[in-house]
Amino acid sequence: MEARDQRTIARILKVNHAGEHGAIRIYRAQIWVARRLYPDLLPFLTETIGHEIEHCRLFLDAMPQRQARPCRFMGFWGSGGLILGVATALMTRQGIWICTAAIEAAVHRHLDDQLHFVRDRDVQLHALIESIRGEELQHLRTAQENIVARTRWTRFLTAIISWATDVVIWLSTSGDSRKMAQDLAAARLATG
Ligand SMILES: [Fe+2]
Ligand SMILES: [Fe+2]
């Protein structure tokens, strides 16, 4: 494999691992609030955090053989996730669903791009990302089904969270995510 492709694959793992770490913190914060205010949401939230913990471990395990190292700013992801999780959960229970839908939609977009890139380059990683994407899609669908009305507020909050997610990804990976996106886009163009 070309060195550039190898670097991109290492970046994919670094960004995904950090993202899962952030997701764990978001769900942990939401669980903390839901225990007090919306106990009916706990079954979904506890099942989902279990998935994210497993995803985080799987991405970490896939790193050494691909010369990838965890992001140096994991604390940043952790605090960002906690703040976002608490802030949206305290709004209303709709805040939890809107936040979850926005985050999971961003995750889904990223994984789709990555699958396209790794398909012919790393079969093992392709299988791993595909199996994880199945669960992320389940999180996204559940959240979307629970959003009762698509108001201007929903769109505004979704836009803010999507933007914040991209900024956190960019900052915490020192621009790696942008380079990764460029390489993924180039690969898409090359293969059509
Ligand atoms: Fe995940
Ligand atoms: Fe998820």
Side-chain angles (χ1 to χ4, degrees):
M1 200 195 300
E2 281 181 36
R4 191 188 169 104
D5 286 356
Q6 231 163 30
R7 272 200 306 276
T8 304
I9 285 179
R11 281 185 182 124
I12 286 175
L13 282 171
K14 183 175 172 181
V15 170
N16 290 8
H17 174 254
E20 297 293 352
H21 181 72
I24 293 169
R25 295 306 189 94
I26 291 172
Y27 286 111
R28 197 162 280 157
Q30 290 179 338
I31 287 171
W32 187 82
V33 177
R35 250 196 207 116
R36 289 152 181 87
L37 300 177
Y38 331 113
D40 53 303
L41 299 191
L42 286 172
F44 166 77
L45 295 173
T46 46
E47 187 193 4
T48 306
I49 200 173
H51 293 164
E52 311 299 8
I53 289 169
E54 179 66 2
H55 301 166
C56 194
R57 186 190 66 75
L58 289 167
F59 282 132
L60 186 65
D61 285 354
M63 283 180 152
Q65 66 185 106
R66 294 172 178 84
Q67 287 83 48
R69 272 201 302 268
C71 165
R72 279 172 298 154
F73 303 102
M74 293 295 275
F76 201 68
W77 276 92
S79 340
L82 271 183
I83 292 167
L84 188 63
V86 169
T88 50
L90 284 175
M91 288 173 187
T92 56
R93 73 184 58 220
Q94 280 297 293
I96 289 190
W97 293 122
I98 292 167
C99 172
T100 301
I103 297 282
E104 297 288 356
V107 167
H108 193 66
R109 274 197 308 275
H110 281 285
L111 296 187
D112 253 359
D113 280 351
Q114 296 171 5
L115 280 172
H116 189 84
F117 186 84
V118 298
R119 191 172 53 207
D120 300 322
R121 295 175 171 91
D122 189 330
V123 180
Q124 240 187 345
L125 185 59
H126 186 272
L128 173 63
I129 293 177
E130 203 164 43
S131 72
I132 286 176
R133 188 181 60 158
E135 286 183 340
E136 306 295 14
L137 194 58
Q138 197 185 314
H139 307 160
L140 173 62
R141 291 214 173 116
T142 309
Q144 284 173 335
E145 281 163 13
N146 280 283
I147 295 175
V148 288
R150 305 217 166 251
T151 57
R152 202 178 285 184
W153 165 244
T154 313
R155 283 195 294 275
F156 175 71
L157 193 56
T158 302
I160 292 281
I161 295 171
S162 301
W163 174 82
T165 310
D166 284 342
V167 170
V168 172
I169 288 175
W170 191 83
L171 286 176
S172 68
T173 57
S174 328
D176 267 354
S177 58
R178 188 175 48 81
K179 291 184 201 120
M180 184 189 81
Q182 282 168 351
D183 285 350
L184 298 188
R188 232 182 228 281
L189 270 179
T191 53

